[in-house]
Amino acid sequence: DVAALVRWAAASGTALVPRGAGTGMPGGNVGPGIAVDLVSHFRWTDPVDEAARRVRIGPGITLAALNALAAPHGLHFPVDPSS
């Protein structure tokens, strides 16, 4: 669905505004165009790679969810972008 929406937007010249968890410093600004909700279906996480100290996450993951996922591995993401 997202790929079809992007093709339509490109063909029609319509701006798309991707929306994740909205936890960035500016609070997830919304500009002109169509807001695309990436929270509902993009809350995925890959397994934590403890040795590499990293994890890949989708744009719908909040800081609290990320830190809950990392905590059992002795890890955390120290930046609180919404503070």
Side-chain angles (χ1 to χ4, degrees), residues 29-67:
N29 292 338
V30 175
I34 296 175
V36 181
D37 176 9
L38 298 176
V39 174
S40 301
H41 300 290
F42 291 89
R43 291 185 182 192
W44 57 267
T45 62
D46 283 350
V48 173
D49 183 341
E50 191 173 339
R53 300 173 55 88
R54 69 179 182 191
V55 64
R56 287 179 36 142
I57 60 172
I61 296 296
T62 63
L63 179 62
L66 172 59
N67 281 328

